[in-house]
Each structure stands twice: as structure tokens, then as C-alpha cells.
């Protein structure tokens, strides 16, 4: 395959240039002009940006156990539609990914999909926060990292033990930081909106208090940690402070597209479609998340793609599950709300959505070097499009962005040299 006249933006190689890309046997075999291609599989990428395929380190495919919401296959389709060629799935399946058998089953089935699906293991058995999983055995079986995502681990000594073992194994350990003592109603910020709804909501202290604890433990143990879906201004400040003490690059943190794009007002407008954990917060918090992205405090953009059925989301707000899908809108939200508004460059966006996530997990992804696997996204950064249910490939449609007009649209997703 030959991709002609692409605007290549590859932060891993500091490339920002118009060039052709030659693909052979699933890998990039040439970059430049006059590459000597004589076949008929040619993509004219004039006006399109070519970037390393996007990498999401925080996604839920609900498989096994909740396949009415998503499957490995429908999740892979949604990922490809959004420009993602690699995803790291969370361990809160049913049963949880806490044994080699469950992990191996997922990995075997994932190998049949056309994107690259990596699977984390839980940190604790059953994600109950009581007993560590056999981390060494699960690493040997192919676990990409460890997380009890969706459930905070309250036992600090157990967290210390998990971090110590993860550090010894060279694996990332990721944390959902919400102390239930400060969460009276999940999915809505404790503030003016929750008061209007007659609810106490989820207080910001639930997040930042646990972040402080875990970053201190990370520095003490030498563990590489990922603080998931940061939502509060205090959290950004704490991460920024600890990163200044971190001389080994141990601390990483995610911003989600919904936390840099929306505020708690979306709960009033969209109801349970905007119900997420941690919740959407105030405009000041949204701006703090953006500042964290700009100065490198938050060095990953991750979707927290969380499918739920229409019936589940139609329940009363307090009963509806938290979470929204995000793979198919993430790039456009980044372009619309970060790049087009002058907060960061398109090169920096690609770094946050591809290069940094790939490096954190040590994945074969994140660059357009000659010899690299041909995982490529081609997108038009200037075209506008409106999000519709019909355009969504996920099995679930639970997103507050339906009906919104966004900028930037994926035109081709190429995984290992194959157009998806």
C-alpha cells in the first residue's frame, strides 16, 4: 500500500512534513517521495494528517459477562472508527480478570480482532480490595498491567504491597481514586447541580485525598502508576507537585475527553448520559484539567469508554449506571476543545493520544518509523461533523455528545497495514 501526500505528524520522531508512506508486509517500509511503488492500493491523503494509530489505555469492552453492552468485536469496531489501533482493557469484567484462565480466554479471543487489544489484570481477587492476585503468574500470562478500575483500594498497606510487586515486575498499576466516604451519590459533583437535584453528590475530596496517598506510595515503592480520569482542580495541583519530586518518571495521569469538554451542567441537560465516575465538575475544574494537559501534569488522554444499554441509562438518575462511551469522539473532542481553541498543538494532541500511552505500557505502537508496524490514523482536522447514533459503531449509544457538531474526522484507520 502507498499513502501519498500525507501531512505526517509523528512526535516520536519529531516529524512534521508532507510525505508518502510505503507499507509492505504490515510494516512501514519507506517514507519520502519516489518510493517506487507499482501496485494499485493507493490512498491519496492530500489534506489529511497521518499520525501513529491512537492508543487508549483505559477502555471497557464488557467481555466477558456484560456482552449486551459491548463485545470484543463491537468494541474493536468502535475503536477503529475513532482512529484507535491499540486499546488496553480494564479488568472489571464478570468474572473479574483475576486468574490466568480468564485472562487467557480474553487474549485468545482478542487475537482474532483487527486492532490490538491488551488486557489488564485486577489488582485484588474479585476486585474486592482484600487479597492480591498472583501478579507474577498473570504477568507471565500476558497481563498488560494491573488495576481494580471502578473500585478504589482502601487498604493502604495492600496498595503498598501491590505497588512493590508491580515495580518488581516492571508493570503499570492504575488507580480509580474515589474514597466512598465522600461519595454520597455517585456520578454527580457535590455542588450546585447536585443540590438542585436534591442529592449530596460526590465530593472532590473523594478523589484528591486518595491521589495524595497513592502518589506518596509510588515514590516510596518505585512503582509506575497511572492516576485515572482526573476531574478536580485540587487533584491536578497534587499531581503537579508530586511530579516535581518524581525524578524517575513514575507518575502518570489521565485526562478524559469528557472532563476537558463538559461540566456538571451537562447532567442537567443530558441526565444519566452525563453520569460518570468521577463526576463532571465545575468550569474551574475543567479549566484546571486543561491547564494540566498544557503543562504536562496530565500526560495521557484516555477515553474511559464505558458502554451501557439504553434501558440501563433510562433508569432514574440514582439507579442508572455511571459511564459513557468515548472511543469514537475522543479525537474530535481533542481537536475541537483543545487544538482549535489554542490550548495545545495537534502534535501535542497526538503525543497525548498515541505516543505517551504506547510508551507507558511498552507497546509496539506510537511511531511512524521505518520498520514499525503500520498502525496509522489518517484524519481531516478541519472538517465538521455531527455525532449521531447511526454513526456509532459501539453496541451501546450512551454518550451526551449525540447531536453535537465537532471538528476533525477520521478518514482511515490502518492496523498492521490493513484498512479497517
Amino acid at each position: 500500500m502507498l499513502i501519498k501526500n500525507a501531512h505526517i505528524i509523528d512526535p516520536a520522531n519529531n516529524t512534521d512534513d508532507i510525505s508518502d508512506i510505503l507499507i509492505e508486509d504490515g510494516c512501514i517500509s519507506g517514507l519520502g517521495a519516489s518510493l517506487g511503488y507499482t501496485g494499485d492500493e493507493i490512498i491519496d491523503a492530500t489534506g489529511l494528517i497521518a499520525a501513529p494509530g491512537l492508543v487508549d489505555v483505559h477502555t471497557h469492552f464488557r467481555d466477558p459477562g456484560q456482552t449486551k453492552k459491548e463485545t470484543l468485536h463491537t468494541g474493536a469496531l468502535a475503536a477503529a472508527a475513532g482512529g484507535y489501533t491499540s486499546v488496553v482493557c480494564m479488568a472489571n469484567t464478570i468474572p473479574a480478570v483475576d486468574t490466568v484462565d480468564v485472562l487467557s480466554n480474553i487474549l485468545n479471543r482478542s487475537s482474532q480482532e483487527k486492532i490490538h487489544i491488551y488486557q489488564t489484570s485486577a489488582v485484588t481477587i474479585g476486585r474486592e480490595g482484600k487479597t492480591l492476585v498472583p501478579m507474577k503468574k498473570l504477568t507471565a500470562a500476558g497481563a498488560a498491567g494491573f488495576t481494580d478500575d471502578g473500585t478504589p483500594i482502601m487498604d493502604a498497606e495492600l496498595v503498598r504491597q501491590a505497588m512493590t510487586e508491580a515495580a518488581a515486575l516492571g508493570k503499570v498499576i492504575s488507580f480509580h481514586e474515589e474514597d466512598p466516604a465522600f461519595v454520597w451519590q455517585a456520578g454527580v459533583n457535590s455542588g450546585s447541580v447536585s443540590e438542585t437535584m436534591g442529592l449530596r453528590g460526590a465530593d472532590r475530596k473523594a478523589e484528591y485525598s486518595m491521589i495524595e496517598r497513592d502518589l506518596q506510595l509510588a515514590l516510596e515503592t518505585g512503582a509506575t502508576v497511572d492516576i485515572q480520569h482526573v476531574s478536580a482542580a485540587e487533584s491536578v495541583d497534587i499531581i503537579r507537585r508530586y511530579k516535581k519530586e518524581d525524578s524517575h518518571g513514575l507518575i502518570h495521569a489521565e485526562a478524559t475527553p469528557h472532563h476537558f469538554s463538559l461540566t456538571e451542567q451537562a447532567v442537567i441537560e443530558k441526565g444519566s448520559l452525563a453520569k460518570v465516575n468521577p463526576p463532571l465538575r465545575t468550569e474551574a475544574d475543567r479549566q484546571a484539567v486543561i491547564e494540566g494537559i498544557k503543562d504536562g501534569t496530565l500526560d495521557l488522554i484516555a477515553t474511559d469508554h464505558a458502554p451501557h444499554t439504553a434501558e440501563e441509562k433510562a433508569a432514574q438518575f440514582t439507579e442508572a449506571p455511571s459511564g459513557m462511551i468515548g472511543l469514537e469522539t475522543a479525537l474530535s473532542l481533542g481537536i475541537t476543545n483543545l487544538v482549535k481553541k489554542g490550548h495545545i498543538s495537534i502534535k501535542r494532541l497526538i503525543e497525548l493520544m498515541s505516543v505517551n500511552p504506547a510508551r507507558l505500557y511498552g507497546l509496539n505502537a506510537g511511531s511512524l518509523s521505518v520498520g514499525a508496524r503500520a498502525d496509522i490514523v489518517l484524519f481531516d482536522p478541519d472538517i465538521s461533523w455531527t455525532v449521531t447514533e447511526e454513526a456509532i459503531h459501539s453496541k451501546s449509544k450512551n454518550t451526551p455528545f449525540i447531536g453535537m457538531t465537532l471538528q476533525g474526522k477520521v478518514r482511515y484507520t490502518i492496523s498492521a497495514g490493513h484498512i479497517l
Side-chain angles (χ1 to χ4, degrees):
M1 181 191 304
L2 183 68
I3 301 172
K4 292 181 63 66
N5 306 316
H7 180 184
I8 297 177
I9 300 182
D10 177 14
N13 291 298
N14 198 29
T15 302
D16 186 346
D17 198 8
I18 305 297
S19 182
D20 296 350
I21 306 171
L22 183 62
I23 299 170
E24 297 178 292
D25 299 322
C27 294
I28 297 172
S29 60
L31 296 167
S34 304
L35 295 175
Y37 179 72
T38 58
D40 58 4
E41 192 169 13
I42 298 174
I43 295 174
D44 184 355
T46 301
L48 303 182
I49 289 173
L54 304 184
V55 178
D56 188 23
V57 297
H58 189 164
T59 199
H60 302 267
F61 281 176
R62 307 299 192 200
D63 189 350
Q66 301 179 80
T67 52
K68 64 181 180 180
K69 303 182 183 190
E70 195 80 284
T71 66
L72 292 173
H73 182 63
T74 60
L77 294 177
Y84 286 91
T85 54
S86 298
V87 298
V88 178
C89 289
M90 298 296 97
N92 60 339
T93 51
I94 301 175
V97 186
D98 58 6
T99 67
V100 169
D101 285 347
V102 175
L103 174 64
S104 297
N105 174 270
I106 294 171
L107 292 177
N108 287 339
R109 291 186 294 116
S110 295
S111 67
Q112 305 303 310
E113 299 301 328
K114 294 180 180 180
I115 67 163
H116 315 292
I117 300 174
Y118 302 89
Q119 179 63 56
T120 58
S121 162
V123 177
T124 65
I125 293 174
R127 298 173 50 252
E128 294 178 350
K130 297 176 181 178
T131 306
L132 293 184
V133 299
M135 296 175 76
K136 188 173 182 179
K137 287 183 178 179
L138 284 155
T139 296
F146 295 91
T147 180
D148 272 6
D149 176 49
T151 305
I153 303 174
M154 300 308 300
D155 185 335
E157 184 53 36
L158 191 66
V159 171
R160 181 191 297 275
Q161 294 172 19
M163 284 191 185
T164 299
E165 190 158 355
L169 294 168
K171 287 295 180 180
V172 181
I173 185 165
S174 302
F175 292 97
H176 180 124
E177 307 286 40
E178 279 193 297
D179 184 340
F182 301 101
V183 178
W184 297 280
Q185 174 55 61
V188 59
N189 182 48
S190 184
S192 61
V193 169
S194 66
E195 290 173 4
T196 298
M197 300 171 70
L199 303 172
R200 290 186 72 183
D203 192 89
R204 58 209 309 106
K205 189 174 183 180
E207 179 178 271
Y208 69 74
S209 61
M210 292 196 69
I211 290 176
E212 180 111 40
R213 180 199 74 175
D214 290 341
L215 294 187
Q216 182 61 48
L217 288 172
L219 294 183
E220 291 175 9
T221 61
T224 299
V225 300
D226 173 16
I227 303 301
Q228 299 175 319
H229 42 45
V230 176
S231 69
E234 294 91 339
S235 301
V236 178
D237 289 340
I238 290 167
I239 296 166
R240 183 180 289 116
R241 171 161 51 87
Y242 273 90
K243 275 199 166 187
K244 290 178 181 177
E245 300 178 34
D246 175 20
S247 60
H248 300 290
L250 302 174
I251 296 170
H252 303 271
E254 303 168 3
T256 73
H258 47 273
H259 284 115
F260 67 65
S261 297
L262 300 173
T263 71
E264 60 186 349
Q265 291 300 317
V267 175
I268 298 294
E269 298 165 6
K270 300 290 184 174
S272 65
L273 290 177
K275 181 181 180 182
V276 289
N277 297 340
L280 303 171
R281 300 199 192 272
T282 67
E283 176 62 14
D285 292 305
R286 188 180 79 88
Q287 291 297 331
V289 168
I290 291 173
E291 286 303 312
I293 291 170
K294 289 168 66 174
D295 69 14
T297 300
L298 308 180
D299 54 344
L300 310 164
I301 289 177
T303 70
D304 193 12
H305 176 83
H308 295 294
T309 67
E311 292 75 19
E312 289 171 317
K313 279 294 193 177
Q316 186 176 2
F317 185 88
T318 54
E319 302 299 323
S322 293
M324 64 178 72
I325 59 172
L327 286 165
E328 297 176 66
T329 51
L331 178 61
S332 297
L333 288 168
I335 292 170
T336 302
N337 293 317
L338 297 177
V339 176
K340 296 296 185 181
K341 294 187 178 178
H343 296 300
I344 61 173
S345 67
I346 195 74
K347 182 178 179 181
R348 176 63 177 157
L349 181 66
I350 293 165
E351 191 174 6
L352 292 161
M353 298 186 74
S354 179
V355 181
N356 289 357
R359 285 177 176 167
L360 175 61
Y361 275 84
L363 305 182
N364 178 18
S367 85
L368 298 182
S369 304
V370 171
R373 189 169 65 193
D375 293 347
I376 304 168
V377 58
L378 295 167
F379 63 95
D380 185 335
D382 298 316
I383 195 169
S384 296
W385 66 289
T386 300
V387 184
T388 64
E389 282 197 14
E390 292 74 22
I392 293 173
H393 294 72
S394 172
K395 198 170 186 177
S396 295
K397 314 296 180 185
N398 55 304
T399 170
F401 297 107
I402 288 175
M404 294 189 187
T405 298
L406 305 176
Q407 290 179 282
K409 181 69 172 169
V410 173
R411 291 305 192 195
Y412 296 90
T413 301
I414 298 169
S415 179
H418 299 287
I419 298 173
L420 307 185

